[in-house]
Amino acid sequence: RETRRIQLNYPVERASEPIVYRLVIDHGVVPDIRRGNFDARTGGVLVVELSGEKEALDASIAWLEEIGITVSPPGQDTNREWAI
């Protein structure tokens, strides 16, 4: 098992979807939300630690990017500065 700390930058059209739930149910990874900020007009940012098998983590991150969520190291956001 591995743990990866990542930042998820949500576009406004994805901010109301149950993305974290789908990570658990569809991909079998365990998220630990460390920080978050959502706004109905601008989208949102989550800093999470994802735990699971390497293949599941890789597939989860690929899926997030496919649906338009930007995945980056914590603190990497062009709109905000995050102190982690």
Side-chain angles (χ1 to χ4, degrees):
R1 293 187 65 85
E2 292 184 15
T3 299
R4 298 182 194 172
R5 182 178 268 200
I6 58 174
Q7 180 171 303
L8 308 176
N9 299 298
Y10 285 67
V12 68
E13 60 271 7
R14 295 281 186 195
S16 65
E17 295 180 21
I19 302 298
V20 173
Y21 172 81
R22 293 203 43 209
L23 286 171
V24 175
I25 297 302
D26 297 346
H27 299 279
V29 298
V30 178
D32 182 6
I33 299 170
R34 309 301 291 173
R35 176 172 286 195
N37 185 25
F38 280 82
D39 185 290
R41 297 172 309 235
T42 61
V45 176
L46 275 182
V47 175
V48 296
E49 288 183 351
L50 296 180
S51 297
E53 299 300 324
K54 180 186 182 327
E55 296 79 19
L57 293 172
D58 292 342
S60 298
I61 291 170
W63 172 73
L64 289 165
E65 292 172 339
E66 285 174 18
I67 65 169
I69 295 176
T70 305
V71 179
S72 61
Q76 301 291 313
D77 184 359
T78 58
N79 297 322
R80 300 174 189 90
E81 288 295 323
W82 292 88
I84 303 298

Coordinates of all heavy atoms in Angstrom, one line a residue:
R1 N 0.8 -1.2 0.0 CA 0.0 0.0 0.0 C 0.9 1.2 0.0 O 1.9 1.3 0.6 CB -0.9 0.0 1.2 CG -1.9 -1.1 1.2 CD -3.0 -1.0 2.3 NE -3.8 0.2 2.2 CZ -4.9 0.3 1.5 NH1 -5.3 -0.7 0.8 NH2 -5.6 1.4 1.6
E2 N 0.3 2.3 -0.6 CA 1.0 3.6 -0.7 C 0.1 4.7 -0.2 O -1.1 4.5 -0.2 CB 1.4 3.9 -2.2 CG 2.5 3.0 -2.8 CD 2.8 3.5 -4.2 OE1 2.5 4.6 -4.6 OE2 3.5 2.7 -4.9
T3 N 0.7 5.8 0.1 CA -0.1 7.0 0.4 C 0.5 8.1 -0.4 O 1.7 8.3 -0.4 CB -0.1 7.3 1.9 OG1 -0.6 6.2 2.6 CG2 -0.8 8.6 2.2
R4 N -0.3 8.9 -1.1 CA 0.1 10.0 -1.8 C -0.7 11.3 -1.4 O -1.9 11.2 -1.3 CB -0.1 9.8 -3.3 CG 0.7 8.7 -3.9 CD 0.4 8.5 -5.4 NE 0.9 7.2 -5.8 CZ 0.7 6.8 -7.0 NH1 0.1 7.5 -7.9 NH2 1.2 5.6 -7.4
R5 N 0.0 12.4 -1.2 CA -0.7 13.6 -0.8 C -0.7 14.4 -2.1 O 0.3 14.7 -2.8 CB 0.1 14.4 0.2 CG -0.6 15.7 0.6 CD 0.1 16.4 1.7 NE -0.5 16.0 3.0 CZ -0.4 16.7 4.1 NH1 0.3 17.8 4.1 NH2 -0.9 16.3 5.2
I6 N -1.9 14.8 -2.5 CA -2.2 15.5 -3.8 C -3.2 16.6 -3.5 O -3.9 16.7 -2.5 CB -2.6 14.6 -4.9 CG1 -3.9 13.9 -4.5 CG2 -1.6 13.6 -5.3 CD1 -4.5 13.1 -5.7
Q7 N -3.2 17.6 -4.5 CA -4.2 18.6 -4.5 C -5.1 18.4 -5.7 O -4.6 18.2 -6.8 CB -3.5 20.0 -4.6 CG -4.5 21.2 -4.6 CD -3.8 22.5 -4.4 OE1 -3.0 22.7 -3.4 NE2 -3.9 23.4 -5.4
L8 N -6.4 18.5 -5.5 CA -7.3 18.4 -6.6 C -8.0 19.8 -6.8 O -8.5 20.4 -5.9 CB -8.4 17.4 -6.2 CG -8.0 16.0 -5.7 CD1 -9.1 15.2 -5.3 CD2 -7.1 15.4 -6.8
N9 N -7.8 20.3 -8.0 CA -8.4 21.6 -8.4 C -9.6 21.3 -9.2 O -9.5 20.8 -10.4 CB -7.4 22.4 -9.1 CG -6.2 22.7 -8.3 OD1 -6.3 23.3 -7.3 ND2 -5.0 22.2 -8.7
Y10 N -10.8 21.6 -8.7 CA -12.1 21.3 -9.3 C -12.5 22.5 -10.2 O -12.6 23.6 -9.7 CB -13.2 21.1 -8.3 CG -13.2 19.8 -7.5 CD1 -12.1 19.5 -6.6 CD2 -14.2 18.9 -7.7 CE1 -12.1 18.3 -5.9 CE2 -14.2 17.7 -6.9 CZ -13.2 17.5 -6.1 OH -13.2 16.3 -5.3
P11 N -12.9 22.2 -11.4 CA -13.6 23.3 -12.2 C -15.0 23.5 -11.6 O -15.6 22.5 -11.0 CB -13.6 22.7 -13.6 CG -13.5 21.3 -13.5 CD -12.8 21.0 -12.2
V12 N -15.6 24.6 -11.9 CA -16.9 24.9 -11.3 C -18.0 23.9 -11.7 O -18.8 23.5 -10.8 CB -17.4 26.3 -11.7 CG1 -17.7 26.5 -13.1 CG2 -18.5 26.8 -10.8
E13 N -17.9 23.3 -12.9 CA -18.9 22.3 -13.3 C -18.8 21.0 -12.6 O -19.7 20.2 -12.6 CB -18.9 22.1 -14.8 CG -17.6 21.6 -15.4 CD -16.6 22.7 -15.7 OE1 -16.9 23.9 -15.4 OE2 -15.6 22.4 -16.3
R14 N -17.7 20.7 -11.9 CA -17.5 19.5 -11.1 C -17.7 19.6 -9.6 O -17.6 18.7 -8.9 CB -16.2 18.9 -11.4 CG -16.0 18.4 -12.9 CD -16.6 17.1 -13.1 NE -16.3 16.6 -14.4 CZ -17.0 15.7 -15.0 NH1 -17.9 15.1 -14.4 NH2 -16.7 15.3 -16.2
A15 N -17.8 20.9 -9.1 CA -17.8 21.2 -7.7 C -18.9 20.5 -6.9 O -18.7 20.2 -5.7 CB -17.7 22.7 -7.5
S16 N -20.0 20.2 -7.6 CA -21.1 19.6 -6.8 C -21.2 18.1 -7.0 O -22.2 17.5 -6.4 CB -22.4 20.3 -7.3 OG -22.7 20.0 -8.6
E17 N -20.3 17.5 -7.6 CA -20.3 16.0 -7.9 C -19.7 15.3 -6.7 O -18.7 15.8 -6.1 CB -19.7 15.7 -9.2 CG -20.4 16.2 -10.4 CD -19.8 15.9 -11.7 OE1 -19.0 14.9 -11.7 OE2 -20.0 16.6 -12.7
P18 N -20.1 14.0 -6.4 CA -19.5 13.3 -5.3 C -18.2 12.6 -5.7 O -18.1 11.3 -5.8 CB -20.6 12.3 -5.0 CG -21.3 12.0 -6.3 CD -21.2 13.4 -7.0
I19 N -17.2 13.3 -6.1 CA -15.9 12.8 -6.6 C -15.2 11.9 -5.5 O -14.7 10.9 -5.8 CB -15.0 13.9 -7.0 CG1 -15.7 14.8 -8.1 CG2 -13.7 13.4 -7.5 CD1 -16.1 14.1 -9.4
V20 N -15.2 12.4 -4.3 CA -14.5 11.6 -3.2 C -15.2 10.3 -3.0 O -14.5 9.2 -2.9 CB -14.4 12.4 -1.9 CG1 -13.8 11.6 -0.8 CG2 -13.5 13.7 -2.1
Y21 N -16.5 10.3 -3.0 CA -17.3 9.0 -2.9 C -16.9 8.1 -4.0 O -16.7 6.9 -3.8 CB -18.8 9.4 -3.0 CG -19.7 8.2 -3.1 CD1 -20.0 7.5 -1.9 CD2 -20.2 7.8 -4.3 CE1 -20.8 6.4 -2.0 CE2 -21.0 6.7 -4.4 CZ -21.3 6.0 -3.2 OH -22.2 4.9 -3.3
R22 N -16.8 8.6 -5.3 CA -16.5 7.7 -6.4 C -15.0 7.2 -6.3 O -14.7 6.1 -6.8 CB -16.7 8.4 -7.7 CG -18.2 8.7 -7.9 CD -18.7 8.9 -9.3 NE -18.1 8.0 -10.3 CZ -18.0 8.4 -11.5 NH1 -18.4 9.6 -11.9 NH2 -17.5 7.5 -12.4
L23 N -14.1 7.9 -5.7 CA -12.8 7.4 -5.5 C -12.8 6.2 -4.6 O -12.1 5.2 -4.9 CB -11.9 8.5 -4.8 CG -11.4 9.6 -5.7 CD1 -10.7 10.7 -4.8 CD2 -10.5 9.1 -6.8
V24 N -13.7 6.2 -3.6 CA -13.8 5.1 -2.7 C -14.5 3.9 -3.3 O -14.0 2.8 -3.4 CB -14.5 5.5 -1.4 CG1 -14.8 4.3 -0.5 CG2 -13.8 6.6 -0.6
I25 N -15.7 4.1 -3.8 CA -16.5 3.1 -4.4 C -16.0 2.5 -5.7 O -15.9 1.3 -5.8 CB -18.0 3.6 -4.6 CG1 -18.6 4.0 -3.2 CG2 -18.8 2.5 -5.3 CD1 -18.6 2.9 -2.2
D26 N -15.6 3.3 -6.6 CA -15.2 2.9 -8.0 C -13.8 2.5 -8.0 O -13.4 1.6 -8.9 CB -15.5 3.9 -9.0 CG -17.0 4.3 -9.1 OD1 -17.8 3.5 -8.6 OD2 -17.3 5.3 -9.8
H27 N -12.9 3.1 -7.2 CA -11.5 2.9 -7.4 C -10.8 2.2 -6.2 O -9.6 1.8 -6.3 CB -10.8 4.2 -7.7 CG -11.3 4.8 -9.0 ND1 -10.9 4.4 -10.2 CD2 -12.2 5.7 -9.2 CE1 -11.5 5.0 -11.2 NE2 -12.3 5.9 -10.6
G28 N -11.5 2.1 -5.1 CA -11.0 1.4 -3.9 C -9.8 2.0 -3.2 O -9.0 1.4 -2.5
V29 N -9.8 3.4 -3.3 CA -8.7 4.1 -2.6 C -9.4 4.7 -1.3 O -10.6 5.0 -1.3 CB -8.0 5.1 -3.4 CG1 -7.3 4.5 -4.6 CG2 -8.9 6.2 -3.9
V30 N -8.6 5.0 -0.3 CA -9.1 5.6 0.9 C -8.6 7.1 1.0 O -7.4 7.3 1.1 CB -8.6 4.9 2.1 CG1 -9.1 5.5 3.4 CG2 -9.1 3.4 2.1
P31 N -9.5 8.1 0.9 CA -9.1 9.5 0.9 C -9.1 10.0 2.4 O -10.0 9.6 3.2 CB -10.1 10.2 0.1 CG -11.3 9.3 0.2 CD -10.9 7.9 0.4
D32 N -8.1 10.8 2.7 CA -8.1 11.5 4.0 C -8.0 13.0 3.6 O -7.0 13.5 3.1 CB -6.9 11.1 4.8 CG -6.8 11.8 6.1 OD1 -7.8 12.5 6.5 OD2 -5.8 11.6 6.8
I33 N -9.1 13.7 3.8 CA -9.2 15.1 3.4 C -8.4 15.9 4.4 O -8.7 15.9 5.6 CB -10.6 15.6 3.2 CG1 -11.4 14.8 2.2 CG2 -10.7 17.1 2.9 CD1 -12.9 15.0 2.1
R34 N -7.4 16.7 3.9 CA -6.6 17.5 4.8 C -7.0 18.9 4.8 O -6.8 19.6 5.8 CB -5.1 17.3 4.4 CG -4.6 15.9 4.2 CD -4.8 15.1 5.5 NE -3.8 15.6 6.4 CZ -3.8 15.2 7.7 NH1 -4.6 14.3 8.1 NH2 -2.9 15.7 8.5
R35 N -7.5 19.4 3.7 CA -7.9 20.8 3.5 C -8.8 20.9 2.3 O -8.6 20.2 1.3 CB -6.7 21.7 3.4 CG -7.0 23.1 3.1 CD -5.7 24.0 3.2 NE -5.3 24.0 4.6 CZ -4.5 24.9 5.1 NH1 -3.8 25.7 4.3 NH2 -4.2 24.8 6.3
G36 N -9.7 21.8 2.4 CA -10.6 22.1 1.3 C -11.2 23.4 1.2 O -11.4 24.1 2.3
N37 N -11.6 23.9 0.1 CA -12.3 25.1 -0.1 C -13.1 25.1 -1.4 O -12.5 24.8 -2.5 CB -11.3 26.3 -0.2 CG -11.9 27.6 -0.2 OD1 -13.0 27.8 0.2 ND2 -11.2 28.6 -0.8
F38 N -14.4 25.3 -1.3 CA -15.3 25.2 -2.5 C -16.1 26.5 -2.5 O -16.5 27.0 -1.5 CB -16.2 24.0 -2.4 CG -15.5 22.7 -2.8 CD1 -14.7 22.0 -1.9 CD2 -15.7 22.3 -4.1 CE1 -14.1 20.9 -2.3 CE2 -15.0 21.1 -4.5 CZ -14.2 20.4 -3.6
D39 N -16.3 26.9 -3.8 CA -17.1 28.1 -4.0 C -18.0 27.8 -5.3 O -17.4 27.3 -6.3 CB -16.3 29.3 -4.3 CG -17.0 30.6 -4.5 OD1 -17.7 30.7 -5.5 OD2 -17.0 31.4 -3.6
A40 N -19.3 28.0 -5.2 CA -20.2 27.7 -6.3 C -19.8 28.5 -7.6 O -20.2 28.1 -8.7 CB -21.6 28.0 -5.9
R41 N -19.1 29.6 -7.5 CA -18.8 30.4 -8.7 C -17.5 30.1 -9.3 O -17.2 30.4 -10.4 CB -18.9 31.9 -8.3 CG -20.2 32.4 -7.9 CD -20.1 33.8 -7.4 NE -19.0 33.8 -6.4 CZ -19.1 34.3 -5.2 NH1 -20.2 34.8 -4.7 NH2 -18.1 34.3 -4.3
T42 N -16.6 29.6 -8.5 CA -15.2 29.4 -9.0 C -14.7 27.9 -9.0 O -13.6 27.7 -9.5 CB -14.2 30.2 -8.1 OG1 -14.2 29.8 -6.8 CG2 -14.5 31.7 -8.2
G43 N -15.4 27.0 -8.3 CA -14.9 25.7 -8.2 C -14.4 25.4 -6.9 O -14.8 26.0 -5.9
G44 N -13.4 24.5 -6.8 CA -12.9 24.2 -5.5 C -11.5 23.5 -5.5 O -11.0 23.2 -6.6
V45 N -11.0 23.4 -4.3 CA -9.6 22.8 -4.1 C -9.7 21.9 -2.9 O -10.3 22.3 -1.9 CB -8.6 23.9 -3.9 CG1 -7.2 23.3 -3.6 CG2 -8.5 24.8 -5.0
L46 N -9.2 20.7 -3.1 CA -9.1 19.7 -2.0 C -7.6 19.3 -1.9 O -7.0 19.0 -2.9 CB -9.9 18.5 -2.2 CG -11.4 18.5 -1.8 CD1 -12.0 17.1 -2.1 CD2 -11.6 18.9 -0.4
V47 N -7.1 19.2 -0.7 CA -5.8 18.6 -0.5 C -6.2 17.3 0.2 O -6.8 17.3 1.3 CB -4.9 19.4 0.4 CG1 -3.6 18.7 0.7 CG2 -4.6 20.7 -0.4
V48 N -5.8 16.2 -0.4 CA -6.1 14.8 0.2 C -4.9 13.9 0.2 O -3.9 14.1 -0.6 CB -7.2 14.1 -0.6 CG1 -8.5 14.9 -0.6 CG2 -6.8 13.9 -2.1
E49 N -4.9 13.0 1.1 CA -4.0 11.9 1.1 C -4.8 10.7 0.6 O -5.8 10.3 1.2 CB -3.4 11.6 2.5 CG -2.4 12.7 2.9 CD -1.8 12.4 4.2 OE1 -2.2 11.4 4.9 OE2 -0.8 13.1 4.6
L50 N -4.3 10.1 -0.5 CA -5.0 8.9 -1.0 C -4.1 7.7 -0.6 O -2.9 7.7 -0.9 CB -5.1 9.0 -2.5 CG -6.0 10.1 -3.1 CD1 -6.1 10.0 -4.6 CD2 -7.4 9.9 -2.5
S51 N -4.8 6.7 -0.1 CA -4.1 5.4 0.3 C -4.7 4.3 -0.5 O -5.9 4.2 -0.7 CB -4.2 5.1 1.8 OG -3.6 6.2 2.5
G52 N -3.8 3.4 -0.9 CA -4.3 2.2 -1.7 C -3.1 1.5 -2.4 O -2.0 1.9 -2.3
E53 N -3.5 0.5 -3.2 CA -2.5 -0.2 -4.0 C -2.0 0.8 -5.1 O -2.8 1.6 -5.6 CB -3.1 -1.4 -4.6 CG -3.5 -2.4 -3.6 CD -2.4 -2.9 -2.7 OE1 -1.2 -3.1 -3.2 OE2 -2.6 -3.1 -1.5
K54 N -0.8 0.7 -5.5 CA -0.2 1.5 -6.5 C -1.1 1.6 -7.8 O -1.3 2.7 -8.3 CB 1.2 1.1 -6.9 CG 1.9 2.0 -7.9 CD 3.2 1.4 -8.4 CE 3.9 2.3 -9.4 NZ 3.2 3.0 -10.3
E55 N -1.5 0.5 -8.3 CA -2.3 0.4 -9.5 C -3.6 1.2 -9.3 O -4.1 1.9 -10.2 CB -2.6 -1.0 -9.9 CG -1.4 -1.8 -10.3 CD -0.6 -2.3 -9.1 OE1 -1.1 -2.4 -8.0 OE2 0.6 -2.6 -9.3
A56 N -4.3 1.1 -8.1 CA -5.5 1.8 -7.8 C -5.3 3.3 -7.8 O -6.1 4.1 -8.3 CB -6.2 1.3 -6.6
L57 N -4.2 3.7 -7.2 CA -3.8 5.1 -7.1 C -3.6 5.7 -8.4 O -4.1 6.8 -8.8 CB -2.6 5.3 -6.2 CG -2.8 5.0 -4.7 CD1 -1.5 5.1 -3.9 CD2 -3.8 6.0 -4.1
D58 N -2.8 5.0 -9.3 CA -2.5 5.4 -10.6 C -3.8 5.6 -11.4 O -4.0 6.6 -12.1 CB -1.6 4.5 -11.3 CG -0.2 4.5 -10.8 OD1 0.2 5.5 -10.0 OD2 0.6 3.6 -11.0
A59 N -4.7 4.6 -11.3 CA -6.0 4.6 -12.1 C -6.9 5.7 -11.6 O -7.5 6.4 -12.3 CB -6.7 3.3 -11.9
S60 N -6.9 6.0 -10.2 CA -7.7 7.0 -9.7 C -7.2 8.4 -10.2 O -8.1 9.2 -10.5 CB -7.6 7.0 -8.1 OG -8.1 5.8 -7.6
I61 N -6.0 8.6 -10.2 CA -5.4 9.9 -10.6 C -5.7 10.1 -12.1 O -6.1 11.2 -12.6 CB -3.9 10.0 -10.3 CG1 -3.8 10.2 -8.7 CG2 -3.3 11.2 -11.0 CD1 -2.4 10.1 -8.2
A62 N -5.5 9.1 -12.9 CA -5.8 9.1 -14.3 C -7.3 9.5 -14.5 O -7.7 10.3 -15.4 CB -5.5 7.8 -15.0
W63 N -8.2 8.8 -13.8 CA -9.6 9.1 -13.9 C -10.0 10.6 -13.5 O -10.7 11.2 -14.2 CB -10.4 8.2 -13.0 CG -11.9 8.5 -12.9 CD1 -12.8 8.3 -13.9 CD2 -12.5 9.1 -11.8 NE1 -14.0 8.8 -13.4 CE2 -13.9 9.3 -12.2 CE3 -12.1 9.5 -10.5 CZ2 -14.8 9.8 -11.3 CZ3 -13.1 10.1 -9.7 CH2 -14.4 10.2 -10.1
L64 N -9.4 11.1 -12.4 CA -9.6 12.5 -12.0 C -9.2 13.4 -13.2 O -9.9 14.3 -13.5 CB -8.8 12.8 -10.8 CG -9.3 12.1 -9.5 CD1 -8.2 12.2 -8.4 CD2 -10.6 12.8 -9.0
E65 N -8.1 13.2 -13.8 CA -7.6 14.0 -14.9 C -8.5 13.9 -16.1 O -8.8 14.9 -16.8 CB -6.2 13.7 -15.2 CG -5.2 14.1 -14.1 CD -3.8 13.7 -14.3 OE1 -3.5 12.7 -15.0 OE2 -2.9 14.3 -13.6
E66 N -9.0 12.7 -16.4 CA -10.0 12.5 -17.5 C -11.2 13.3 -17.3 O -11.8 13.8 -18.3 CB -10.3 11.0 -17.6 CG -9.3 10.1 -18.2 CD -9.6 8.7 -18.1 OE1 -10.9 8.3 -18.0 OE2 -8.7 7.8 -18.2
I67 N -11.7 13.5 -16.1 CA -13.0 14.2 -15.9 C -12.8 15.7 -15.7 O -13.7 16.4 -15.3 CB -13.8 13.5 -14.8 CG1 -13.1 13.7 -13.4 CG2 -14.2 12.1 -15.1 CD1 -14.0 13.3 -12.2
G68 N -11.5 16.1 -15.8 CA -11.3 17.6 -15.8 C -10.8 18.1 -14.5 O -10.8 19.4 -14.3
I69 N -10.4 17.3 -13.5 CA -9.9 17.8 -12.3 C -8.4 17.8 -12.4 O -7.8 16.8 -12.7 CB -10.4 16.9 -11.1 CG1 -11.9 17.0 -11.0 CG2 -9.6 17.2 -9.8 CD1 -12.5 16.1 -9.9
T70 N -7.8 18.9 -12.1 CA -6.3 19.0 -12.2 C -5.7 18.4 -10.9 O -6.1 18.8 -9.8 CB -5.9 20.5 -12.3 OG1 -6.6 21.1 -13.4 CG2 -4.4 20.6 -12.5
V71 N -4.8 17.5 -11.1 CA -4.1 16.9 -9.9 C -2.7 17.5 -9.9 O -1.9 17.4 -10.9 CB -4.1 15.4 -10.1 CG1 -3.3 14.7 -8.9 CG2 -5.5 14.8 -10.2
S72 N -2.3 18.0 -8.7 CA -0.9 18.5 -8.6 C -0.4 18.3 -7.1 O -1.2 17.9 -6.3 CB -1.0 20.0 -8.9 OG -1.8 20.7 -8.0
P73 N 0.9 18.6 -6.9 CA 1.3 18.6 -5.5 C 0.6 19.6 -4.7 O 0.2 20.6 -5.2 CB 2.8 18.9 -5.7 CG 3.2 18.6 -7.1 CD 1.9 18.9 -7.9
P74 N 0.5 19.4 -3.4 CA -0.2 20.4 -2.6 C 0.5 21.8 -2.7 O 1.7 21.9 -2.8 CB 0.0 19.9 -1.1 CG 0.1 18.4 -1.3 CD 0.9 18.3 -2.6
G75 N -0.4 22.8 -2.8 CA 0.2 24.2 -2.8 C 0.3 24.7 -4.3 O 0.6 25.8 -4.5
Q76 N 0.1 23.8 -5.3 CA 0.2 24.2 -6.7 C -1.1 24.6 -7.2 O -1.9 23.8 -7.7 CB 0.8 23.1 -7.5 CG 2.1 22.6 -7.0 CD 3.2 23.6 -7.2 OE1 3.3 24.1 -8.3 NE2 4.0 23.8 -6.2
D77 N -1.4 25.9 -7.2 CA -2.7 26.4 -7.7 C -2.4 27.8 -8.2 O -1.9 28.7 -7.5 CB -3.8 26.5 -6.6 CG -5.1 26.9 -7.1 OD1 -5.3 27.2 -8.3 OD2 -6.0 26.9 -6.3
T78 N -2.8 28.1 -9.5 CA -2.5 29.4 -10.1 C -3.4 30.5 -9.5 O -3.1 31.6 -9.6 CB -2.7 29.3 -11.6 OG1 -4.1 28.9 -11.9 CG2 -1.8 28.4 -12.2
N79 N -4.5 30.1 -8.8 CA -5.4 31.1 -8.3 C -5.2 31.4 -6.8 O -5.6 32.5 -6.3 CB -6.9 30.7 -8.5 CG -7.2 30.6 -10.0 OD1 -6.7 31.4 -10.8 ND2 -8.0 29.6 -10.3
R80 N -4.7 30.5 -6.1 CA -4.5 30.7 -4.6 C -3.2 30.2 -4.1 O -2.6 29.3 -4.7 CB -5.6 29.8 -3.9 CG -7.0 30.2 -4.3 CD -8.0 29.2 -3.6 NE -9.3 29.4 -4.0 CZ -9.8 28.7 -5.1 NH1 -9.1 27.9 -5.8 NH2 -11.1 29.0 -5.4
E81 N -2.8 30.6 -3.0 CA -1.6 30.1 -2.3 C -2.1 29.3 -1.1 O -2.9 29.8 -0.3 CB -0.7 31.3 -1.8 CG 0.0 32.0 -3.0 CD 1.0 31.0 -3.7 OE1 1.7 30.2 -3.0 OE2 1.1 31.1 -4.9
W82 N -1.6 28.1 -1.0 CA -2.0 27.3 0.1 C -0.8 26.9 1.0 O 0.2 26.5 0.4 CB -2.6 25.9 -0.4 CG -3.9 26.1 -1.0 CD1 -4.1 26.4 -2.3 CD2 -5.2 26.0 -0.4 NE1 -5.5 26.5 -2.6 CE2 -6.1 26.3 -1.4 CE3 -5.6 25.8 0.9 CZ2 -7.5 26.3 -1.1 CZ3 -7.0 25.8 1.1 CH2 -7.9 26.0 0.1
A83 N -0.9 27.1 2.2 CA 0.2 26.8 3.2 C -0.1 25.4 3.8 O -1.1 25.3 4.5 CB 0.3 27.8 4.3
I84 N 0.6 24.4 3.4 CA 0.4 23.1 3.9 C 1.5 22.7 4.9 O 2.6 22.9 4.6 CB 0.3 22.1 2.8 CG1 -0.7 22.4 1.7 CG2 0.1 20.6 3.3 CD1 -2.1 22.5 2.2

